[in-house]
């Protein structure tokens, strides 16, 4: 039986920001890619965010980014290790509590959702890292240790950026830590393409168009990828899989670490009371009061069973058609998807009435607070809701002495911290009793963290790269290491950002008809030390 995965997330506040600065910068610079996630104070008018015109959507997102704020920022640095088993990563995860120094709108539903899922607003206002939005507020903003400087270090590192449903994330990051958002979408994408020359990857796009998962909200996608990876490991490692290593934090550093325990997938026997709305979108308006199950593990197992049954049925239908001399049906993006999830994938919003199950396709309806796929309250419509806080992981502050499997090896990292690899795919595991009833509900209320969401986003990407690129093994043999590193991680998903309700993604490119914004050109002079 597989054990639970323990992920150390470093909690960064204003009082330890300078102390942790060197470690964060080294983690970013030495990484192979960086995954980001944000928690937001709201997103404004949901109808505008789903406008038919992408340009109109962008205007609505700009308004939200200028009037709302980032409450917390999570980033996970994934470093692919040499001289290790294929696809072994050293992972460092940080969760930064932020406090905008300017006036901003905070939506009541966002506050309610975040409080229900463990966000501490007292901690934010007492210890949040201050920042100002828009363009630099004075020359001093280019120097020193602050959040805008950390974002500059991310740009200077020239690493691939990984997000989940990332358009809103990128707009808020730009407005909050970089410069005033440009008025036109083409200018914005032109700026992004220069800011992140190694490319931007959206794991929601990868899940929908590459992996073709039944659902693509963050919790579902992460647990599905983790389950498939664990199966590959437990089967003897014949198939492609990823390995994870985490740093071992000692001394006073350990007091900054929030250890997140993610229970292993259980059994679905005897359980069929799944909430179909949560199953499709990752969020339910009834929340913890819903009488039906919100267990993502159960949802995944039942989806797999249903997909297997439907494949058998389609096979029988094809054989029957062939017997009558008819042509077999072609494959579809909806193959294997439950009927209630098909509207979530790709259809016109106008085709689905508001009061119908699965209303507003491609939107995991829920509380609009986190910008990546974190559940976000939105009166039945949602741009980005991948609900965490429903049993994705558990809070365990004092499990630093948990038992690990054998074959442990240590590797020195920045700041004298040790990394440890264990069996089971290089992931650190710890056994914990299963919680039920009220105990489980209490645990679930404290699971919403931007840092852990960033880890999940990075895990999905690492797993996807391993699975999708397995046929490319050996294609770069004989080339120099630097040439290999310059190869796109997922060429078919490079700079493609998911758009809700659209069959095609947003391409983050600089076209011949668009120019970079003046603010961006000035910033690039500071970042790169040269004129763009």
């Amino acid at each position: 039986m597989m054990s639970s995965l323990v992920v150390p997330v470093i909690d960064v506040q204003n009082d330890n920001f300078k102390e942790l600065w060197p470690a964060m910068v080294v983690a970013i610079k030495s990484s192979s890619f960086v995954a980001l996630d944000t928690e937001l104070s709201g997103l404004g008018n949901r109808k505008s965010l789903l406008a038919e015109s992408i340009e109109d959507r962008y205007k609505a997102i700009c308004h939200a980014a200028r009037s709302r704020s980032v409450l917390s920022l999570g980033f996970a640095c994934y470093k692919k290790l040499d001289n290790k088993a294929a696809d072994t990563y050293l992972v460092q995860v940080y969760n930064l509590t932020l406090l905008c120094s300017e006036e901003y709108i905070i939506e009541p539903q966002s506050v309610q959702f975040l409080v229900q899922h463990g966000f501490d607003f007292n901690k934010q206002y007492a210890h949040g890292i201050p920042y100002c939005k828009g363009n630099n507020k004075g020359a001093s903003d280019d120097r020193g240790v602050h959040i805008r400087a950390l974002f500059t270090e991310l740009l200077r590192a020239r690493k691939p950026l990984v997000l989940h449903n990332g358009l809103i994330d990128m707009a808020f990051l730009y407005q909050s830590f970089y410069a005033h958002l440009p008025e036109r979408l083409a200018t914005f994408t032109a700026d992004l393409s220069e800011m992140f020359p190694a490319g931007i990857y959206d794991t929601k796009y990868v899940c929908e168009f590459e992996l073709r998962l039944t659902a693509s909200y963050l919790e579902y996608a992460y647990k599905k990828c983790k389950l498939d990876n664990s199966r590959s490991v437990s089967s003897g490692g014949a198939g492609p899989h990823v390995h994870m290593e985490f740093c071992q934090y000692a001394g006073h550093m350990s007091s900054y670490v929030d250890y997140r325990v993610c229970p292993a997938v259980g059994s679905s026997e005897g359980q069929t009371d799944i909430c179909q709305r949560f199953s499709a979108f990752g969020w339910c308006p009834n929340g913890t009061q819903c009488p039906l199950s919100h267990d993502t593990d159960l949802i995944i197992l039942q989806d797999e069973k249903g997909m297997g049954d439907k494949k058998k049925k389609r096979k029988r239908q094809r054989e029957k058609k062939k017997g009558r001399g008819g042509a077999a049906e072609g494959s579809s993006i909806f193959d294997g998807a439950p009927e209630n999830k098909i509207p979530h994938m790709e259809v016109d919003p106008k085709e689905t009435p508001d009061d119908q199950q699965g209303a507003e396709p491609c939107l995991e309806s829920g509380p609009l607070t986190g910008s990546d796929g974190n559940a976000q309250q939105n009166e039945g419509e949602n741009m980005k809701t991948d609900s965490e806080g429903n049993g994705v992981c558990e809070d365990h502050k004092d499990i630093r002495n948990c038992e690990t499997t054998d074959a442990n090896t240590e590797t020195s990292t920045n700041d004298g911290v040790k990394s440890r690899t264990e069996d089971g795919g290089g992931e650190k595991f710890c056994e914990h009793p299963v919680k039920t009833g009220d105990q489980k509900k209490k645990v679930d209320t404290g699971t919403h963290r931007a840092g852990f969401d960033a880890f999940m986003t990075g895990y999905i990407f690492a797993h996807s790269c391993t699975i999708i690129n397995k046929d490319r093994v050996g294609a770069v043999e004989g080339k120099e290491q630097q040439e290999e590193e310059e190869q796109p991680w997922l060429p078919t998903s490079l700079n493609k950002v998911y758009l809700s309700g659209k069959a095609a993604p947003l391409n983050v490119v600089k076209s011949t008809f668009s120019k970079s914004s003046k603010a961006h050109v000035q910033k690039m002079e500071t970042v790169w030390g040269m004129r763009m």
Side-chain angles (χ1 to χ4, degrees):
M1 180 177 178
M2 290 177 289
S3 302
S4 299
L5 171 63
V6 178
V7 180
V9 180
I10 301 179
D11 191 18
V12 186
Q13 306 172 43
N14 195 39
D15 53 5
N16 66 359
F17 185 58
K18 290 185 178 180
E19 177 187 352
L20 294 173
W21 171 272
M24 290 188 291
V25 172
V26 171
I28 291 172
K29 289 183 176 180
S30 61
S31 67
S32 299
F33 64 84
V34 179
L36 292 181
D37 177 79
T38 61
E39 297 289 354
L40 310 175
S41 67
L43 283 179
N45 186 284
R46 277 54 171 175
K47 294 288 186 182
S48 299
L49 294 172
L50 297 171
E52 181 66 23
S53 167
I54 304 302
E55 194 68 39
D56 290 341
R57 289 193 191 189
Y58 174 69
K59 291 179 181 178
I61 294 173
C62 285
H63 176 72
R66 292 164 183 165
S67 58
R68 275 76 174 169
S69 73
V70 179
L71 303 180
S72 64
L73 171 67
F75 69 93
C77 299
Y78 280 70
K79 179 181 180 181
K80 197 168 185 178
L81 300 177
D82 298 328
N83 304 318
K84 294 274 187 176
D87 299 315
T88 296
Y89 295 88
L90 172 64
V91 186
Q92 298 183 64
V93 186
Y94 294 87
N95 188 90
L96 284 69
T97 301
L98 307 179
L99 181 62
C100 183
S101 299
E102 304 167 310
E103 290 186 357
Y104 62 90
I105 295 173
I106 184 165
E107 300 172 13
Q109 290 176 325
S110 298
V111 174
Q112 184 181 34
F113 173 80
L114 288 172
V115 169
Q116 288 175 349
H117 292 85
F119 190 89
D120 190 342
F121 280 92
N122 287 330
K123 173 182 171 182
Q124 183 207 9
Y125 283 95
H127 304 290
I129 303 168
Y131 74 91
C132 293
K133 296 186 293 183
N135 296 326
N136 290 355
K137 303 298 189 296
S140 61
D141 202 36
D142 289 330
R143 304 180 184 87
V145 176
H146 47 77
I147 190 64
R148 294 174 72 93
L150 185 65
F151 187 72
T152 298
E153 292 294 340
L154 174 63
L155 299 181
R156 286 174 175 160
R158 298 178 183 244
K159 303 297 182 181
L161 178 66
V162 182
L163 310 106
H164 189 87
N165 208 1
L167 179 57
I168 293 176
D169 286 284
M170 291 187 296
F172 269 81
L173 291 170
Y174 191 109
Q175 178 69 28
S176 299
F177 313 132
Y178 190 65
H180 194 69
L181 280 164
E183 297 299 324
R184 296 180 61 248
L185 177 61
T187 307
F188 177 58
T189 56
D191 289 357
L192 288 176
S193 67
E194 293 178 342
M195 292 165 64
F196 298 98
I200 295 172
Y201 296 89
D202 191 329
T203 52
K204 188 169 179 68
Y205 174 84
V206 174
C207 291
E208 291 265 353
F209 293 92
E210 299 286 353
L211 300 181
R212 302 295 177 92
L213 299 187
T214 304
S216 59
Y217 51 91
L218 184 59
E219 177 185 346
Y220 184 103
Y222 164 70
K223 283 208 162 185
K224 172 60 175 171
C225 290
K226 184 174 182 298
L227 177 60
D228 289 345
N229 192 69
S230 297
R231 286 169 174 167
S232 179
V233 173
S234 60
S235 65
H241 53 269
V242 296
H243 299 262
M244 296 290 155
E245 293 186 7
F246 300 101
C247 293
Q248 302 293 298
Y249 300 99
H252 75 283
M253 277 290 292
S254 63
S255 64
Y256 302 150
V257 182
D258 178 13
Y259 290 90
R260 318 287 295 172
V261 178
C262 306
V265 176
S267 171
S268 63
E269 293 182 6
Q271 303 181 58
T272 57
D273 54 343
I274 286 178
C275 171
Q276 292 302 312
R277 188 173 186 83
F278 186 88
S279 172
F281 303 110
W283 179 83
C284 168
N286 297 322
T288 57
Q289 303 303 314
C290 181
L292 302 176
S293 175
H294 290 180
D295 188 334
T296 313
D297 298 333
L298 177 60
I299 292 170
I300 291 173
L301 293 174
Q302 289 211 354
D303 280 351
E304 290 181 342
K305 182 178 181 300
M307 185 175 294
D309 293 342
K310 288 191 175 185
K311 285 182 178 179
K312 292 178 182 178
K313 183 177 179 181
R314 287 197 301 272
K315 183 178 180 180
R316 289 195 296 268
Q317 290 175 339
R318 286 195 295 267
E319 291 175 348
K320 193 173 182 180
K321 282 193 173 186
K322 287 181 179 180
R324 295 198 303 263
E329 293 182 7
S331 62
S332 166
I333 190 175
F334 301 132
D335 284 357
E339 291 183 4
N340 67 294
K341 295 188 181 182
I342 290 178
H344 152 73
M345 301 176 82
E346 297 298 338
V347 293
D348 191 327
K350 297 178 182 178
E351 297 176 359
T352 312
D354 290 341
D355 59 349
Q356 182 177 331
Q357 169 67 35
E360 298 299 343
C362 302
L363 315 175
E364 298 85 73
S365 303
L368 273 165
T369 54
S371 106
D372 76 315
N374 301 325
Q376 310 160 28
Q377 185 73 37
N378 76 347
E379 303 174 4
E381 299 169 14
N382 187 341
M383 260 315 270
K384 299 169 68 55
T385 77
D386 299 340
S387 166
E388 284 62 72
N390 287 282
V392 186
C393 56
E394 304 176 3
D395 287 329
H396 287 266
K397 292 282 187 179
D398 191 23
I399 59 173
R400 287 179 282 278
N401 296 320
C402 63
E403 296 181 2
T404 58
T405 57
D406 55 6
N408 294 338
T409 58
E410 292 187 348
T411 306
S412 295
T413 61
N414 52 293
D415 254 14
V417 177
K418 299 290 186 179
S419 68
R420 183 178 296 273
T421 309
E422 288 99 21
D423 264 347
E427 298 169 344
K428 179 180 176 183
F429 294 102
C430 185
E431 295 290 351
H432 292 275
V434 177
K435 293 179 172 59
T436 58
D438 293 337
Q439 283 183 310
K440 188 174 188 302
K441 287 186 178 180
K442 289 180 181 178
V443 168
D444 288 349
T445 60
T447 58
H448 202 64
R449 297 290 187 277
F452 187 78
D453 295 350
F455 164 75
M456 289 194 290
T457 300
Y459 188 100
I460 295 168
F461 183 70
H463 175 78
S464 302
C465 289
T466 300
I467 297 301
I468 296 172
N469 292 335
K470 63 181 180 180
D471 294 333
R472 300 174 60 205
V473 174
V476 295
E477 290 183 359
K479 294 185 178 181
E480 296 294 332
Q481 178 66 27
Q482 185 175 356
E483 292 179 352
E484 181 178 347
E485 291 177 352
E486 290 175 354
Q487 298 296 317
W489 285 73
L490 285 177
T492 55
S493 299
L494 178 64
N495 291 332
K496 294 180 180 179
V497 177
Y498 182 82
L499 292 174
S500 296
K502 298 294 183 180
L506 172 68
N507 291 312
V508 180
V509 296
K510 183 176 183 179
S511 71
T512 55
F513 304 101
S514 62
K515 295 182 179 180
S516 300
S517 66
K518 291 183 179 179
H520 164 70
V521 172
Q522 293 173 352
K523 291 289 292 187
M524 283 294 98
E525 292 180 24
T526 301
V527 174
W528 305 121
M530 63 181 188
R531 188 175 298 276
M532 297 299 293

